[in-house]
Amino acid sequence: MHAYRTHMCGELRKTHVGQEVKLSGWISRVRDHGGVLFIDLRDKTGVTQCVVEENSPLLAEIEKWRVESVITIEGKASARTAETVNPKMPTGDIEIVIGKAVLQSAADVIPFQVAEDDGAGEDIRLRYRYLDLRREKMQRNITLRNGVIRSLRARMHEQDFQEFQTPILTASSPEGARDYLVPSRLHPGKFYALPQAPQQFKQLLMVGGFDRYFQIAPCFRDEDGRADRLAEFYQLDVEMSFVTQEDVFATMTPVVKGVFEEFADFTGAKRKVEWLPNLDYKTAMRKYGTDKPDLRNPLEIVDVTEVFARDDVEFKAFKGTIEKGGVVRAIRAPKVSAQPRSFFDKLNSWAQGEGAPGLGYILFEGTEGKGPIAKFVPAAAQEQLKKIAGLEDGDAIFFVCNKESEAAKFAGKARDKICDDMGNREKDVYKFCWIVDFPMYEFDEKAQKIDFSHNPFSMPQGGLEALEKQDPVTIDAFQYDCVCNGFEIASGAIRNHKPEIMEKAFAIAGYEKSVLEAKFGGMLNAFRYGAPPHGGCAFGIDRLVMLLADEPNLREVYAFVMNGQYEDQMMQAPSDASEQQLKDLHLKLAMPRTS
RNA sequence: GCGGGUGUAGCUCAGCUGGUUAGAGCGCCGCCCUGUCACGGCGGAGGCCGCGGGUUCAAGUCCCGUCACUCGCGCCA
């Protein structure tokens, strides 16, 4: 017989009755009845009940073993009597009558419960992650992660993509997030950077003629964390040669849609997967107030500036803003006349909490509009509102007034808040779409200059001609995102593979040719030796898994992960470097002043 | 860097307008229990009430500071 086991703990059924078996695993629960004792023995496949029978000489010893100790037991798989069968367990028809038992590794008293969710906080779960990982939910989430990655790989290989590894110790990139730096011992004063993404390498692989690249790529960004953002994370990184934007969508949509359909019922609920038509950036911002709209929310935003600009409308608070170039955005909330006054008051105080003066509204019930703003809007103007927003009797309309970008953004937040307060968000569905036509440039208010709004390597729509003739802020790029249920799950672009367009593109953003050469000389040179038109995208794998697992937090889908301050309390990272290490690296610390 | 929330037993939390000896559930330890499967019964241990300062006759409770965790803003091409 094998030293540790003949079967797994979730494996045994009625058909095994009578067999001598050996199981190894963790003591999940113990029920000690004095004379007879039950142990629920657990491994990754499940739980089997093991019994120490009355008068067993083993009882005195086994009684002392604590839960989460690792043991090996040997005994006969026996049928349970009719009264003692447990239909809730897959192995509930049988139990093992323990004949021999070995304590392989005793467990101290555990800091939180493993067999059940005792609500232990995240910090302690992370400190004892190996215990947390034994819990059913983490076993399931991590297994889901494995399934998703395996499925993504298979789907990419099926479409003739080749998988690559690219350098982890690489060069700092001047755009984007802060880099993690690694000091060089051999080159005093010089540093490697960990990649924020393998952007340039994947483009160089296209220049290298590999045609279709993918990688489950680790990415590193030294910016503050969020529930959906980590210092290190993984992307399904993709690049393709001789493609248009439509080719990228046609290739990647079935990959992601397929994976979601494969794992959509992970949480137990049947979930639909819907892929909606592409949405251009400007429309998304106007209708949803964000470039990553949650399309499960049926509410839409309309522009009603013209109504509040009318001479017969007296609402000064909005008028003043409109005269300064502001806009009024409105959200129709259908059939809310039965809502109590507190529904509207709560939304108003929510808006104030968000830093807005409030959230004005008009409720249409019967012949005239009601609400605090209604008296400033005469009947004719109310009719115009109804027409623009498609209002029906019983509907309310909420108003946001500000500079255009601020109004759009806040209306977007209000749209989500109103939807949730109404209980209107669709359930059990993943709604995807591609957001297209992102602007190439934007005006940076702080620096008072034109700058790239996204990826400087994106191809401007209209090419060199557009760069030469168009107002920069009106130029769109072949730059796109993929959005699901309010999360940006991918970002990508058709790249700019022509050095002369790149020079012009950087010049518009105020970068000298020398800067371009210094920072991107390697790639720019590559483009001078025959570069295929190419493009791609990168999906945030952790966010995909998070959506499928229905977790609110990325940390729930990683086996090992740092906390919100990017510290690993289990491994003690980051930690001090020794004098010798610093000396080897030619580093001296200049600590911040602690006042 | 900034703002909100939280911090009381190993874990999760209660503790009212400040008032005597700070509680509960789970866990832990001991005893009892022959069939449970969240086993049950009895008993017990365990607290710098995050830390420092202040107000007060009196502080877990109020004030100031600080630290930790968490969510968000900034940031994240």
Side-chain angles (χ1 to χ4, degrees):
Chain A
M1 201 176 261
H2 187 269
Y4 298 115
R5 61 190 176 193
T6 59
H7 296 79
M8 301 296 284
C9 292
E11 192 181 345
L12 296 172
R13 297 289 183 275
K14 242 183 204 153
T15 51
H16 297 92
V17 167
Q19 289 184 27
E20 282 292 325
V21 300
K22 193 183 267 190
L23 300 178
S24 285
W26 287 262
I27 300 176
S28 192
R29 282 202 166 90
V30 177
R31 291 175 295 282
D32 187 349
H33 289 249
V36 63
L37 179 146
F38 300 96
I39 288 174
D40 287 342
L41 193 65
R42 183 194 71 234
D43 64 20
K44 74 160 191 170
T45 65
V47 171
T48 298
Q49 173 165 286
C50 307
V51 192
V52 181
E53 290 197 306
E54 54 180 314
N55 303 323
S56 167
L58 299 172
L59 184 66
E61 174 67 14
I62 293 179
E63 259 184 335
K64 290 186 252 170
W65 296 352
R66 269 196 289 260
V67 290
E68 297 309 315
S69 297
V70 172
I71 65 171
T72 298
I73 64 107
E74 219 178 307
K76 187 176 276 183
S78 311
R80 297 205 203 177
T81 62
E83 316 83 74
T84 61
V85 161
N86 185 348
K88 283 184 282 185
M89 295 170 72
T91 61
D93 285 328
I94 57 96
E95 63 193 4
I96 313 302
V97 179
I98 299 177
K100 262 193 211 165
V102 179
L103 179 63
Q104 304 285 12
S105 173
D108 282 346
V109 174
I110 48 178
F112 52 82
Q113 295 310 296
V114 168
E116 63 191 286
D117 182 1
D118 64 357
E122 191 171 54
D123 50 341
I124 194 160
R125 288 176 53 210
L126 290 178
R127 196 149 60 239
Y128 299 92
R129 187 59 144 183
Y130 41 87
L131 289 179
D132 189 40
L133 289 171
R134 292 181 198 167
R135 306 218 268 193
E136 194 185 350
K137 189 187 84 164
M138 290 306 292
Q139 289 270 320
R140 282 169 51 77
N141 283 0
I142 299 304
T143 303
L144 171 67
R145 184 190 181 90
N146 174 65
V148 167
I149 289 176
R150 188 184 53 205
S151 179
L152 286 171
R153 270 213 170 90
R155 289 167 197 274
M156 295 306 287
H157 284 303
E158 266 166 38
Q159 300 204 69
D160 288 328
F161 282 87
Q162 192 165 330
E163 186 168 6
F164 287 82
Q165 292 78 46
T166 50
I168 300 297
L169 293 174
T170 180
S172 179
S173 112
E175 300 291 326
R178 262 188 295 275
D179 288 312
Y180 280 98
L181 293 180
V182 180
S184 164
R185 175 181 56 84
L186 293 174
H187 302 276
K190 293 190 175 177
F191 295 82
Y192 302 96
L194 306 183
Q196 295 180 25
Q199 181 65 34
Q200 295 190 58
F201 290 113
K202 70 174 176 179
Q203 293 192 237
L204 291 168
L205 284 165
M206 295 303 99
V207 180
F210 281 100
D211 205 80
R212 290 190 155 202
Y213 148 99
F214 89 97
Q215 177 176 198
I216 310 293
C219 304
F220 306 87
R221 294 180 189 176
D222 186 8
E223 297 290 350
D224 288 3
R226 288 288 184 280
D228 63 349
R229 232 162 60 194
L230 294 170
E232 44 184 325
F233 57 98
Y234 285 82
Q235 291 189 330
L236 171 63
D237 197 36
V238 178
E239 199 73 6
M240 309 163 72
S241 291
F242 304 110
V243 290
T244 63
Q245 180 170 288
E246 284 65 38
D247 294 321
V248 176
F249 296 169
T251 306
M252 294 312 295
T253 300
V255 170
V256 173
K257 187 162 184 272
V259 166
F260 268 71
E261 281 165 348
E262 186 178 345
F263 295 100
D265 57 355
F266 172 81
T267 60
K270 280 275 171 230
R271 294 177 175 221
K272 285 181 291 183
V273 180
E274 290 178 26
W275 207 287
L276 299 159
N278 297 352
L279 196 58
D280 67 86
Y281 172 84
K282 282 188 198 73
T283 305
M285 290 307 290
R286 184 171 47 73
K287 280 170 79 169
Y288 306 110
T290 171
D291 60 0
K292 43 180 180 180
D294 187 345
L295 298 170
R296 296 173 303 170
N297 177 345
L299 305 182
E300 290 187 1
I301 299 164
V302 290
D303 191 290
V304 295
T305 311
E306 53 179 309
V307 176
F308 284 88
R310 289 165 63 117
D311 289 338
D312 59 346
V313 175
E314 302 271 335
F315 197 51
K316 288 199 186 100
F318 285 8
K319 273 251 157 81
T321 305
I322 293 169
E323 276 157 21
K324 279 184 267 171
V327 298
V328 184
R329 294 286 160 87
I331 302 157
R332 170 188 168 230
K335 302 285 168 279
V336 289
S337 54
Q339 293 279 1
R341 176 64 193 261
S342 63
F343 171 79
F344 299 95
D345 291 345
K346 269 188 210 159
L347 282 167
N348 196 60
S349 50
W350 166 82
Q352 286 167 346
E354 295 283 319
L359 192 61
Y361 67 93
I362 298 177
L363 174 62
F364 291 94
E365 191 182 17
T367 49
E368 59 184 38
K370 295 172 184 171
I373 291 185
K375 61 173 179 279
F376 300 107
V377 185
Q382 289 191 11
E383 284 308 313
Q384 193 185 356
L385 269 181
K386 283 188 191 175
K387 215 172 136 195
I388 294 174
L391 293 167
E392 293 169 13
D393 194 48
D395 293 355
I397 183 163
F398 291 87
F399 303 105
V400 171
C401 180
N402 207 330
K403 283 190 300 188
E404 178 166 359
S405 62
E406 301 291 323
K409 216 171 138 187
F410 187 64
K413 280 187 180 179
R415 170 180 170 270
D416 272 326
K417 176 68 179 164
I418 294 166
C419 173
D420 284 335
D421 283 8
M422 293 173 66
N424 244 359
R425 198 180 297 265
E426 233 183 299
K427 287 190 182 67
D428 295 327
V429 62
Y430 293 106
K431 290 202 164 180
F432 290 88
C433 81
W434 293 99
I435 310 288
V436 299
D437 301 339
F438 276 80
M440 183 81 188
Y441 298 102
E442 65 192 3
F443 189 74
D444 183 338
E445 297 283 348
K446 249 189 294 178
Q448 286 291 303
K449 74 183 247 319
I450 298 279
D451 207 347
F452 294 110
S453 70
H454 266 72
N455 189 326
F457 307 127
S458 299
M459 183 68 97
Q461 296 187 21
L464 193 57
E465 201 186 328
L467 293 183
E468 279 168 347
K469 293 184 179 157
Q470 254 174 273
D471 175 0
V473 294
T474 67
I475 300 171
D476 288 337
F478 286 112
Q479 164 81 43
Y480 40 81
D481 281 358
C482 182
V483 166
C484 174
N485 290 6
F487 287 93
E488 177 196 316
I489 58 165
S491 190
I494 297 301
R495 319 298 173 189
N496 184 346
H497 66 287
K498 292 178 183 286
E500 67 275 18
I501 301 183
M502 205 172 279
E503 279 167 31
K504 180 69 186 168
F506 274 76
I508 288 171
Y511 298 101
E512 301 271 337
K513 193 178 167 186
S514 59
V515 174
L516 181 59
E517 291 286 355
K519 300 297 185 186
F520 306 108
M523 199 167 68
L524 210 55
N525 261 338
F527 290 168
R528 292 183 178 119
Y529 292 96
H534 61 285
C537 58
F539 283 84
I541 288 177
D542 314 299
R543 285 185 187 170
L544 301 183
V545 179
M546 179 173 130
L547 280 163
L548 284 166
D550 201 23
E551 290 287 355
N553 188 318
L554 277 181
R555 294 186 283 271
E556 299 297 329
V557 298
Y558 270 87
F560 299 105
V561 67
M562 300 190 289
N563 67 15
Q565 273 68 242
Y566 292 166
E567 291 167 314
D568 182 339
Q569 305 267 21
M570 184 173 63
M571 301 303 283
Q572 301 293 313
S575 56
D576 294 328
S578 71
E579 279 301 317
Q580 188 58 49
Q581 286 173 314
L582 290 174
K583 208 177 151 198
D584 285 348
L585 295 167
H586 325 288
L587 293 179
K588 268 200 186 115
L589 297 181
M591 301 295 283
R593 224 170 277 142
T594 49
S595 51

